[in-house]
Amino acid sequence: MSNAPAGILYSKSHEWARLEGDQAVIGITAFAQESLGDITYVELPQAGDTLAADKEFGSVESVKAASDLISPVDGEVLEVNTALEDAPEKCNSDPYGEGWLVRVKLSGKPEGLMDAAAYEAFCATEAH
Amino acid sequence: MSELRTPLTAWHEAHGAKMAPFAGWLMPIQYEGILIEHQHTRQHAGLFDICHMGEFRIEGPGADAALSRAVSHNLATLAPGRCRYGFLLNAEGGVLDDCIVYRFGPDAFMIVVNAACAAGDFAALRERLPQGVALTDLSAATAKIDLQGPESVDVLEALLKENFHDLPYFGFRETSFDGSSLLVSRTGYTGELGFELYLPWDRAEAFWTALLKDERVKPVGLGARDTLRLEAGLPLYGHDLDDKHSPAEAGMGRMLTSTADYVGKEGAQRVREMLVALRIEGRRAARHGDVLALPGGPEVGRVTSGSFAPSLGCVIAFAWVDAAQAGHEDFVVRTARSELAARRVELPFYKDGTARKKLQ
């Protein structure tokens, strides 16, 4: 079972958001990368694009599957992790660190997200 | 419905494999990860649980002539100790299954079939073979373990204390493992030098764990089996072969050299669509079911298999294409998420495989 770090927020679609003032860094969780397996491609938005909570903002592909990325927050993309173009495996090896996806300027207060304990409990119900 | 379990399913579960249903069986998809397992097989030796596949024995007076009429394999040129790839066809020449026929003697054979097709294959063969020819389903008693990779021959020799350098590609020999019968076949589904190994069901775990004691060997799941076979340009039944398409459409018309009057012979050369091999630059995969089209033009086919190719660093795919359009070089694949430029290439995709390597 994956250990969700404390101090960041989690969505039911297995993305995380680390709030830093009026900005947030977004990524996929360890549970998500474990479910997908080896990640081979990450499609990200561009700086300046607008993200809406619960809406698709990109996709991630593994050897076996493809999955939409769902934004946990509303905001405008400030920066994308371009290192993932050539090294998407960082999402597997370090999903909460070097495997981050985008940094956004928040346009509203995040809602409906879980803390680490709640997310762990949620994952336990999804695992089989 | 609960899935069937191989004699190794408990081992896989105990060793952290991701398990999933495949052809009615609960099978390991991956252990450490598809990419690691794929590369390990290309560089060293991978061990695969293939116990789900079916094995039938065919023997008795007239077996040679009868089997020659039941399957596409040219048995006239198949010597004892050799095996050959071919097809079980329906009356129209569509592929009911792809299978390997092993010859043990003048009228003694084994045929190895896909798990998902095994019941239908058995019924078709029973109907085509006369009563005097015995058809026996060995599947429930026979474990199949594949050892594949450039170091596989050294691993096998070290364990069995026996030379296998003399076994040619598509040759096989009966030997023993710890007092039990073991059939060693120099065949496989990865494009690498390797062996398909058949032994009694209840000895599978002992053999499996004995092979894994060699540090050159890692267990490999069906995930990497799929990327390995696709890179090697080997079709997967149910994706790249099916009963609606002939062997000729899959590019295998020329291997149909049997002069016997086998079921489906005429239709086997019929061509309406062609299976084409495609290379797609970048990392975004085409997948089974995606639409194939001409650039800026109409739909001309469908992707049957597609994946990121770990040994090539690009995406590769098979697709059925309208035969009139199969001569084109450039296509596009319309996925759910984007349109990908695809170029037709020659098989195999991965050309450095060691499968056919001469060992002496």
Side-chain angles (χ1 to χ4, degrees), chain A residues 34 38 40 59 61-62 68, chain B residues 18 35 283-285 337:
Chain A
E34 276 179 29
D38 290 324
T40 53
S59 63
E61 296 193 10
S62 69
D68 286 335
Chain B
K18 267 191 199 173
L35 297 180
R283 292 176 148 267
R284 171 155 253 179
R337 293 178 168 78

Side-chain angles (χ1 to χ4, degrees), chain B residues 167-170 186 191-194 232 234 255 348 352-360:
Chain B
L167 201 58
Y169 190 45
F170 275 80
R186 198 182 142 191
E192 297 301 332
L193 168 63
L234 302 171
M255 74 159 62
D352 297 329
T354 54
R356 294 162 187 272
K357 184 179 176 187
K358 288 207 172 8
L359 297 181
Q360 66 171 25

Side-chain angles (χ1 to χ4, degrees), chain B residues 175-199:
Chain B
T175 181
S176 65
F177 163 69
D178 194 23
S180 296
S181 66
L182 174 71
L183 192 151
V184 177
S185 171
R186 198 182 142 191
T187 47
Y189 196 49
T190 60
E192 297 301 332
L193 168 63
F195 301 88
E196 296 183 285
L197 304 156
Y198 303 85
L199 75 165

Side-chain angles (χ1 to χ4, degrees), chain B residues 235-251:
Chain B
L236 171 63
Y237 192 82
H239 285 248
D240 319 306
L241 296 171
D242 59 42
D243 63 0
K244 305 292 188 294
H245 291 93
S246 70
E249 291 178 300

